[in-house]
Amino acid sequence: MEFFYKQKQGTKKHLEVAEVPVTDATGAGDAFVAGFLYALNEDQTLEEACKVGMNCSALTLSTYETVSSRLNVTNLKKRKNRSS
């Protein structure tokens, strides 16, 4: 999978997306937005914010829960360290 976003200067940025087993897609988009906005609020770069959003979506996709208890800062940091 691939994820693209457009930077302010007009250049496109490509990010690789790790494939995860999809259990239920309910809430995945909301989780992306929540993680993205959280990261921006924490003064992370646009690229990092996209990655946090993608990781939030991945955690949500892999559970039947719309709001998973696994969707927390500790688990996001673990996912980030694995993908670095």
Side-chain angles (χ1 to χ4, degrees):
M1 287 187 113
E2 299 175 305
F3 179 81
F4 291 90
Y5 68 92
K6 196 171 187 178
Q7 296 176 315
K8 191 174 187 176
Q9 303 83 356
T11 57
K12 289 183 182 177
K13 181 72 177 179
H14 171 260
L15 298 174
E16 289 293 325
V17 177
E19 292 195 28
V20 296
V22 177
T23 303
D24 187 354
T26 305
D30 293 333
F32 175 87
V33 172
F36 178 80
L37 293 176
Y38 167 81
L40 288 180
N41 191 55
E42 294 292 309
D43 295 323
Q44 294 188 29
T45 67
L46 183 59
E47 182 173 337
E48 285 297 317
C50 289
K51 289 178 181 178
V52 171
M54 290 187 299
N55 281 324
C56 287
S57 286
L59 285 170
T60 301
L61 287 167
S62 63
T63 182
Y64 284 110
E65 301 169 304
T66 303
V67 180
S68 173
S69 60
R70 297 181 323 172
L71 189 56
N72 58 57
V73 175
T74 302
N75 285 334
L76 288 173
K77 286 181 180 176
K78 287 178 187 176
R79 286 187 64 86
K80 179 181 177 183
N81 290 338
R82 276 189 281 160
S83 64
S84 297

